[in-house]
Amino acid sequence: MIVDVAEERRFREFVASRSPALMRLGYLLTGGDQHAAEDLLQTVLARAAARWERVDDPEPYVRRAMYREQVSWWRRAARRPETVVPEAPDVPGRDDTHAAELKLVLRRALARLTARQRAALVLRFFADLPEAEVAQIMGCSVGTVRSTVHRSLARLRVLAPELADLDSASRPSIKEVQS
């Protein structure tokens, strides 16, 4: 619990200014699940508020906490049996615009990557973090980050070859596709 008024103001300012970017990070870490991203960010910010007076650099702290919390959720989910339903859920309708098509293709391809591969790509390219910081957040070496990113991109090319068909001049960045 934040006791100091100045620290509480600092926390509120951080949340107000960084929540949209952190929400996008959560959205990508959760594989495109808006509600799970909201839950992830809320959980991490609640825990960060309890330790706020000891947090020197909040942005990396919260990003690392989001990644670690998501990994915990993945591990818990892996231990739960899959729920079988009698009918497949409805598939959302497709938008006719090219950007919407790219969003769907990218979202489906990212969802088919492993959690670690998706996190490495999201942290490296969407969050635009250097390899060293991604390695610190993921708790591995820089070489592991490089190899994971390399394998993830190769798998993404296989899962979504239509992304490779775009010429580089018209290719949107991952931030443009997700916004």
Side-chain angles (χ1 to χ4, degrees), residues 5-89:
V5 175
E7 289 298 320
E8 182 177 348
R9 186 177 66 250
R10 190 180 88 142
F11 178 75
R12 288 178 184 272
E13 288 171 358
F14 173 78
V15 170
S17 67
R18 298 305 302 152
S19 284
L22 293 171
M23 187 64 203
R24 287 189 299 271
L25 177 65
Y27 181 82
L28 292 170
L29 286 173
T30 59
D33 185 339
Q34 180 74 25
H35 298 292
E38 291 169 357
D39 290 344
L40 175 64
L41 182 57
Q42 181 178 0
T43 300
V44 168
L45 288 176
R47 290 184 183 164
R51 298 171 182 85
W52 194 253
E53 293 175 348
R54 297 179 299 233
V55 175
D56 294 327
D57 194 3
E59 183 84 17
Y61 177 85
V62 171
R63 284 182 180 179
R64 185 172 35 257
M66 287 177 72
Y67 168 73
R68 289 183 177 164
E69 183 66 21
Q70 185 62 25
V71 168
S72 295
W73 288 356
W74 293 327
R75 288 181 180 150
R76 284 192 297 266
R79 285 181 259 162
R80 285 189 300 254
E82 200 172 293
T83 304
V84 179
V85 293
E87 293 181 32

Side-chain angles (χ1 to χ4, degrees), residues 67-139:
Y67 168 73
R68 289 183 177 164
E69 183 66 21
Q70 185 62 25
V71 168
S72 295
W73 288 356
W74 293 327
R75 288 181 180 150
R76 284 192 297 266
R79 285 181 259 162
R80 285 189 300 254
E82 200 172 293
T83 304
V84 179
V85 293
E87 293 181 32
D90 290 341
V91 178
R94 299 180 105 184
D95 194 340
D96 291 330
T97 65
H98 186 65
E101 179 74 22
L102 287 175
K103 286 180 186 181
L104 292 172
V105 168
L106 186 58
R107 181 186 300 165
R108 284 192 299 264
L110 283 172
R112 292 180 59 195
L113 294 175
T114 67
R116 186 173 183 86
Q117 288 174 326
R118 185 171 49 246
L121 289 177
V122 166
L123 293 171
R124 182 68 182 100
F125 298 111
F126 177 76
D128 200 24
L129 298 177
E131 291 169 338
E133 194 170 339
V134 174
Q136 182 183 13
I137 290 171
M138 293 179 70

